[in-house]
């Protein structure tokens, strides 16, 4: 395995990256191969890393490097071709559909690159849709207020801008106060101001709710927000770096 | 579970309401057909049972020359006989006010006091005959209605060679004449010229020279009695008195017709709705699966947030059940309405005293189960595909579809085909199953329409066959008694008679091995032109000089082949028994009959030149004079004017077929419309994104329209011939299922039916295409760009 300097391996964590308690996520030797026709695409090659409670982790890497694939596997939206994924001590890679559904329902919130809102439901209803599944959700209005959308409660996705839709998606992801928040390029389609709003919302969730957050981005500026930055290239982790000086969303410039 | 999910359900239903309505309409059509036909069948069956039981319909019937009343006790003593009632029955010539030609009345005696023990009358209007009053009669309802006769009116009748005036005091129905035809070859009712009259025995017996005697007996059987045994005993007992052969209900013409009708109904009530239900289930499956397929990313999202497969499945199941359920409710309501109407229509020629309409809970339950199950299966199959996919894959916007040059292009047609054409062909080749389903759906709608219109074709064909090809005479005359050939020449000399061909009709029992049937053997001139022997394919056969010709159905019933000999037992006169070779079997669609050359029949019966009547070709200008003359001729018992039969046929049978066929065609149209509409609408929602992208890239509206609708047009063109073929197969199936001993539906489908079926489907497609192209023009291009890809 090609490893950049300062790379952490799960078995010998460098002391400066001391975990804040037990790891909540353990990815071990995970590979993902897509087969289309006769061609095999190695989207992930034997990836290893851990996540720790309350962490804010950024996944960086060029397009096609396997970020989304990794995030989808962590969210049990997709199954790895080989390797193990442990959430606490639940083996997600061996779980059946029912267990994975429970995992997603009880522990994870998603923000997708293409928002994936239900077009026939309003902003409030899209958030309520997920809140109804959770045990201790916040009111949908509160989640929408967190992302600055109090004025748009009854708008349908088609009546909102891309940024607004993305914020609804974030509200939907945080409304159940998830332990783990997985975001695939949440600011990819957003302008500076909106992007900042979104990042602030995420940072607040991280600080106030103590959620562990993994964000995919190819915007290096955002990496400054992270506790740790994981860099991928061609399906491999080439670097895991701990941020010495974490900045606040207000300080992000891009 | 979740109210947000239900809200989504409601919104989705509202957003695709057109498709939902179409799905509901299709389900409604299938259920309507099922409920209407099923309930009509049940109602007829129920009416028949109820009527026969309440009015004590007899089990065995026998006519004879004349027997003393004292024989009645011996008949009643036959083991197995529960009740026996002797009667005097005779067909007499009637003079009905307002009717130019003579009519035939079947005069049947009823007890002077009390009700008939068997075949009791249901008095509909007026009263029962009063004891001691002469010349009081009760008329059958169909006859009275057809001639506008009411209690108090008088009609003339020839009794014992003299004209007598009879007063109608009541109008009634009898279980013996639920279907009121004369018999002896007459198959369709002619209620103006044939009717039943009931009068007290005290009046009928002397008028017909039957004092202290009877010439007809009806018998009911006790529990466990053996009908064949009783018939044999009765025949034995009546042989000395000129018995004409006892027979059971199966040979009783009214029972036979009604039972055949009910059996036919049962067949149509299974097959036609079966076809509808199959088509509806298929449509529900395709529409729902494609509708849900377009919601695949939403399914992925729901799963990503922790909705379980069951919850998602239930969500879409509710969507399907909502549409199908709405259709079910409409279908049951419409089915009950049409079933009631159809049952009423049947009462035009099947006369029951009570209107018994029965919509059983069982029928509704079966209809519900079938339709809801079809909808549920469609939804579940579609949802399964969507939920089995990993959410990551389901949510991914469909990547660029993998097109490749298919076999059509590899054959080198691409050079000449414009780009749009190539895109259409590639799309079909890329998803051949989807194309095949669309194709099959359209073909099924065409087929259903063909089936609907086929009934018109079949009846029209039968009418033409019967009234143009077979019955070429204008008038058929029946003599009061079989008489010598000499009278034929008298007939030919009457005013207006252009041509006269004699015939001999003999009631006989034909048997082969242990099987037997009562038929009327028709002796005709081989050289005659007024009554040719015509088969189903309209080929004319000449009567062979020797032997007997049977319709194929009769041959099958007897199990006899050409060249074999059947036993012919004459059921009148000296009751001769003869062996006759079967010289041919002919396919005739109506009835089962037997034909012989007139001379050969006369020889066989050892009667020189005897005839029962004649077929006449008449100069229309002289017709009224001729009819008036015939009416006054005691030697002529009855005449049948063809034109009148044609009209009465059109008024009654054709009318009822029209009503049921119109219902069927309306249902077929709705179904076809639903299929085509949904097909195109779903294609639009599936490809909206792709087409919008094309528009973004600079394709014109016209080009985009061509790409979407071109595919549908191509499939439509390919589906029409397939639909015709499918329809023909279905018609064949139906014809086979409804075939009875008396009647076979010919499989003739006119070019007009094919054209109309295709036209309706093309029209429905065009209308839908028009609506869809309007939507295509307003494709939301921005929306496409917003959602990435
Ligand atoms: N469903 C799929 N089928 C085939 N290949 C895929 C599929 N999804 C992703 N890939 C391939 O896997 C690789 C990684 O994709 P992805 O994880 O989406 O990259 P990123 O999110 O980093 O841009 C890419 O080469 C991509 O083409
Ligand atoms: Mg990605």
């Amino acid at each position: 395995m090609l490893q950049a300097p300062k790379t952490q391996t799960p078995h010998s964590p460098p002391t400066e990256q001391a975990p804040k308690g037990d790891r909540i996520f353990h990815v071990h030797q995970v590979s993902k191969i897509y087969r289309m026709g006769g061609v095999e695409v190695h989207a992930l090659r034997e990836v290893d890393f851990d996540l720790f409670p309350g962490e804010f982790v950024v996944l960086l890497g060029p397009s096609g490097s396997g970020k989304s694939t990794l995030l989808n596997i962590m969210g049990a939206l997709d199954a790895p071709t080989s390797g193990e994924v442990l959430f606490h001590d639940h083996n997600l890679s061996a779980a059946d559909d029912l267990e994975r559904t429970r995992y997603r329902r009880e522990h994870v919130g998603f923000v997708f690159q293409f928002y994936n809102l239900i077009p026939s439901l309003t902003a409030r209803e899209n958030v309520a849709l997920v809140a109804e599944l959770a045990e201790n959700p916040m009111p949908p209005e509160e989640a929408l207020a967190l992302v600055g959308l109090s004025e748009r409660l009854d708008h349908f996705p088609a009546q909102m801008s891309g940024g607004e839709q993305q914020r609804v998606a974030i509200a939907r992801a945080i409304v159940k106060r998830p332990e783990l928040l997985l975001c695939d390029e949440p600011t990819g389609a957003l302008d500076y101001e909106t992007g900042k709003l979104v990042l602030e919302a995420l940072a607040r969730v991280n600080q106030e709710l103590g959620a562990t957050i993994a964000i995919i981005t190819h915007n290096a500026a955002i990496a400054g927000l992270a506790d740790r930055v994981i860099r991928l290239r061609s399906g491999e982790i080439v670097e895991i770096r701990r941020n010495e000086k974490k900045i606040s969303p207000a300080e992000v410039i891009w | 579970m979740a109210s947000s999910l239900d809200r989504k359900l409601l919104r989705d239903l509202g957003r695709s309401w057109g498709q939902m309505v179409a799905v509901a309409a299709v389900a409604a059509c299938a259920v309507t057909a099922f409920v209407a036909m099923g309930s009509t069948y049940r109602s007829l069956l129920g009416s028949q049972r109820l009527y026969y039981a309440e009015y004590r319909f007899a089990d065995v019937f026998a006519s004879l020359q004349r027997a003393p009343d004292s024989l009645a006790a011996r008949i009643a003593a036959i083991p197995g006989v529960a009740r026996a009632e002797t009667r005097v029955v005779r067909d007499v010539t009637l003079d009905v006010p307002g009717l130019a030609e003579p009519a035939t009345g079947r005069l049947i005696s009823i007890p002077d006091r009390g009700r008939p023990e068997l075949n009791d009358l249901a008095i509909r209007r007026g009263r029962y005959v009063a004891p001691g009053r002469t010349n009081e009669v009760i008329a059958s309802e169909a006859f009275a209605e057809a001639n506008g006769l009411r209690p108090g009116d008088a009609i003339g009748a020839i009794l014992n060679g003299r004209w007598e005036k009879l007063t109608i005091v009541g109008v009634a129905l009898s279980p013996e004449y639920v279907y009121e035809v004369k018999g002896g070859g007459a198959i369709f009712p002619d209620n103006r010229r044939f009717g039943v009259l009931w009068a007290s025995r005290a009046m009928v017996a002397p008028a017909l020279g039957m004092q202290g005697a009877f010439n007809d007996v009806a018998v009911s059987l006790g529990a466990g009695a053996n009908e064949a045994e009783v018939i044999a005993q009765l025949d034995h007992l009546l042989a000395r008195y000129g018995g004409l052969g006892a027979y059971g209900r199966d040979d009783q013409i009214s029972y036979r017709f009604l039972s055949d009708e009910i059996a036919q109904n049962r067949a149509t009530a299974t097959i036609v709705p079966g076809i509808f239900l199959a088509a509806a289930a298929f449509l529900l499956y395709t529409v729902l699966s494609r509708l849900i397929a377009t919601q695949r990313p939403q399914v992925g999202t729901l799963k990503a947030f922790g909705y379980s497969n069951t919850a998602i499945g239930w969500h879409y199941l509710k969507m399907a059940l909502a549409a199908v359920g709405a259709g079910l409710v409409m279908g049951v309501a419409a089915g009950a309405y049409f079933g009631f109407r159809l049952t009423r229509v049947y009462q035009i020629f099947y006369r029951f005293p009570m209107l018994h309409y029965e919509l059983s809970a069982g029928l509704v339950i079966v209809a519900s189960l079938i339709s809801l199950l079809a909808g549920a299966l469609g939804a579940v199959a579609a949802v399964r595909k969507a939920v089995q996919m990993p959410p990551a894959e389901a949510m991914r916007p469909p990547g660029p579809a993998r097109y490749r040059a298919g076999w059509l292009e590899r054959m080198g047609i691409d050079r000449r085909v414009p780009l749009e054409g190539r895109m259409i062909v590639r799309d079909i080749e890329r998803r051949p199953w989807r194309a095949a389903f669309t194709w099959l759906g359209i073909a099924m709608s065409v087929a259903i329409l063909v089936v609907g219109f086929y009934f018109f074709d079949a009846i029209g064909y039968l009418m033409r066959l019967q009234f143009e090809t077979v019955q070429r005479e204008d008038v058929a005359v029946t003599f009061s008694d079989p008489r010598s050939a000499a009278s034929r020449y008298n007939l030919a000399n009457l005013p207006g008679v252009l041509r006269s061909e004699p015939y001999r009709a003999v009631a006989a029992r034909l048997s082969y091995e242990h099987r037997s049937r009562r038929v009327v053997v028709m002796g005709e001139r081989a050289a005659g032109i007024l009554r040719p022997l015509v088969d189903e394919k309209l080929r004319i056969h000449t009567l062979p000089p020797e032997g007997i010709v049977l319709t194929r159905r009769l041959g099958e019933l007897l199990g006899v082949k050409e060249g074999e000999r059947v036993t012919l037992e004459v059921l009148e006169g000296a009751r001769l028994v003869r062996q006759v070779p079967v010289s041919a079997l002919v396919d005739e669609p109506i009835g089962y009959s037997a034909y012989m050359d007139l001379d050969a029949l006369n020889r066989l019966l050892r009667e020189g030149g005897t005839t029962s009547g004649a077929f006449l070709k008449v100069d229309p200008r002289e017709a009224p004079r001729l009819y008036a003359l015939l009416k006054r001729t005691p030697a002529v018992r009855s005449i049948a004017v063809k034109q009148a039969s044609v009209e009465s046929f059109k008024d009654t049978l054709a009318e009822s077929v029209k009503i049921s066929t119109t219902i069927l065609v309306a249902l077929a149209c709705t179904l076809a419309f639903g299929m085509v509409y949904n097909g195109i609408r779903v294609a639009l929602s599936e490809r909206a994104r792709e087409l919008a992208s094309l528009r973004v890239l600079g394709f014109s509206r016209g080009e985009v329209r061509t790409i979407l609708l071109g595919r549908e047009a191509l499939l439509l063109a390919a589906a029409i011939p397939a639909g015709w073929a499918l329809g023909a197969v279905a018609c064949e199936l139906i014809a086979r299922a409804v075939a009875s001993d008396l009647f076979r539906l010919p499989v003739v489908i006119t070019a007009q039916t094919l054209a109309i079926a295709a036209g309706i489907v093309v029209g429905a497609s065009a209308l839908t295409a028009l609506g869809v192209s309007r939507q295509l023009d307003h494709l939301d291009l921005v929306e496409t760009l917003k959602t990435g890809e």
Side-chain angles (χ1 to χ4, degrees), chain B residues 210-256:
Chain B
M210 281 279 178
Q211 284 108 323
F214 67 95
N215 69 353
D216 193 278
V217 60
V219 156
S220 68
L221 300 178
N226 179 342
E227 184 188 284
E229 197 61 36
V230 172
I231 288 175
Q233 296 255 5
L234 200 55
D235 276 346
H236 180 72
L237 205 59
L238 298 178
R240 278 181 49 208
Y241 305 98
L244 296 180
Y247 53 93
R249 284 183 176 182
D250 273 346
D251 281 317
Q252 206 268 344
I253 191 152
S254 163
Y255 175 88
R256 181 86 236 175

Side-chain angles (χ1 to χ4, degrees), chain B residues 536-553:
Chain B
E536 231 173 17
K537 304 221 159 55
L538 298 186
R539 284 180 304 230
I540 292 182
H541 295 249
T542 347
L543 271 174
E546 289 298 333
I548 192 163
V549 175
L550 308 179
T551 56
R552 188 166 303 281
R553 184 77 198 124

